[in-house]
């Protein structure tokens, strides 16, 4: 499978409030393509919202990876600043 397929499955899982499956699919997407902007952003967002300190560190890492490639990604900048 490709990164886009995993990203899409993650988004579908989110729409069904299956956060655990969404996070798993999004992690797989960025394992395949570590610079997939939407997967990085969506995964970071979900991890940040979990309020778990370990997840928060992972979220920050994903925001940093995303912002290295797309420094003007406004929503990522706002979330990164609040993490």
């Amino acid at each position: 499978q490709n990164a886009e397929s995993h990203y899409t499955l993650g988004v579908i899982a989110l729409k069904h409030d299956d956060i655990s499956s969404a996070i798993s699919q999004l992690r797989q997407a960025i394992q395949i393509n570590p610079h997939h902007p939407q997967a990085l952003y969506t995964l970071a967002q979900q991890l940040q919202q979990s309020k778990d300190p370990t997840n928060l560190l992972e979220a920050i890492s994903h925001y940093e990876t995303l912002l290295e490639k797309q420094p003007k990604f406004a929503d990522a900048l706002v979330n990164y600043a609040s993490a």
Side-chain angles (χ1 to χ4, degrees):
Q1 289 191 8
N2 64 36
E4 194 63 30
S5 297
H6 286 289
Y7 169 71
T8 301
L9 290 171
V11 170
I12 291 168
L14 284 175
K15 289 183 180 183
H16 292 277
D17 293 322
D18 188 352
I19 306 303
S20 173
S21 290
I23 287 173
S24 175
Q25 290 296 326
L26 294 165
R27 281 182 173 145
Q28 289 180 57
I30 64 170
Q31 283 180 343
I32 295 166
N33 179 0
H35 299 289
H36 188 293
Q38 288 305 121
L40 284 165
Y41 176 71
T42 306
L43 177 56
Q45 199 176 34
Q46 293 307 309
L47 293 169
Q48 185 177 10
Q49 290 173 5
S50 78
K51 306 293 186 197
D52 177 296
T54 303
N55 286 347
L56 185 57
L57 291 174
E58 183 182 347
I60 290 168
S61 173
H62 294 315
Y63 285 132
E64 288 172 345
T65 300
L66 173 58
L67 292 168
E68 283 175 15
K69 295 288 182 184
Q70 296 190 16
K72 295 184 180 182
F73 195 127
D75 289 338
L77 282 168
V78 170
N79 289 354
Y80 178 66
S82 70

